[in-house]
Amino acid sequence: MRVLLVEPGKAARPVEMKNDLHEMQQMVGGPIQALYPWEEPVAIVCNDEGKNMGLPLNRVLENYDIIAGAFFVCGIQGENFSSLTEKTNAEVSAECF
C-alpha cells in the first residue's frame, strides 16, 4: 500500500508498506488511531497514545488537533485502508504537509 509518511521534523514522503495491523503499528510506534479530518477519502493513521508517551510533536491539523510522533496518510476504500492515488498524494502533500 502506498502511503504518505509524516515524521516529526521531516518533510512528508511517499513510502510502500503492507496493509496489515502489525506494520501499521510499527510505522507509528504503537497502537493505531485513525482520524478523518477532511472530506476526501483519506485517513490519518497515528499513534493512539503518542501524546501520553511523550512522542515529539509533529503537525497541527488545522483547528483539529496536534499529532505526536510519526503518522501516515492513506486512502480509504469502503471500511478498509488503501493506497493513495498519485493525484490524492500530490494534493495532500501540497495542501497539508
Side-chain angles (χ1 to χ4, degrees):
M1 164 168 85
R2 189 158 182 81
V3 303
L4 187 66
L5 178 62
V6 185
E7 298 172 290
K10 296 182 180 178
R13 62 187 170 92
V15 298
E16 288 284 334
M17 65 178 288
K18 292 180 185 175
N19 190 357
D20 70 40
L21 179 60
H22 181 71
E23 181 130 352
M24 291 178 198
Q25 289 173 329
Q26 281 189 307
M27 187 80 67
V28 302
I32 64 169
Q33 173 186 22
L35 307 172
Y36 308 95
W38 306 300
E39 292 183 22
E40 291 83 0
V42 297
I44 292 176
V45 181
C46 61
N47 187 317
D48 189 37
E49 300 174 353
K51 290 179 196 165
N52 294 336
M53 294 171 61
L55 296 178
L57 299 180
N58 193 338
R59 303 291 200 281
V60 175
L61 297 177
E62 300 165 358
N63 294 327
Y64 190 74
D65 199 359
I66 188 163
I67 298 177
F71 66 89
F72 63 89
V73 182
C74 63
I76 303 170
Q77 287 187 337
E79 295 183 12
N80 300 310
F81 297 135
S82 64
S83 289
L84 286 173
T85 64
E86 291 297 322
K87 179 182 175 188
T88 304
N89 185 25
E91 289 172 355
V92 170
S93 295
E95 291 179 24
C96 306
F97 308 113

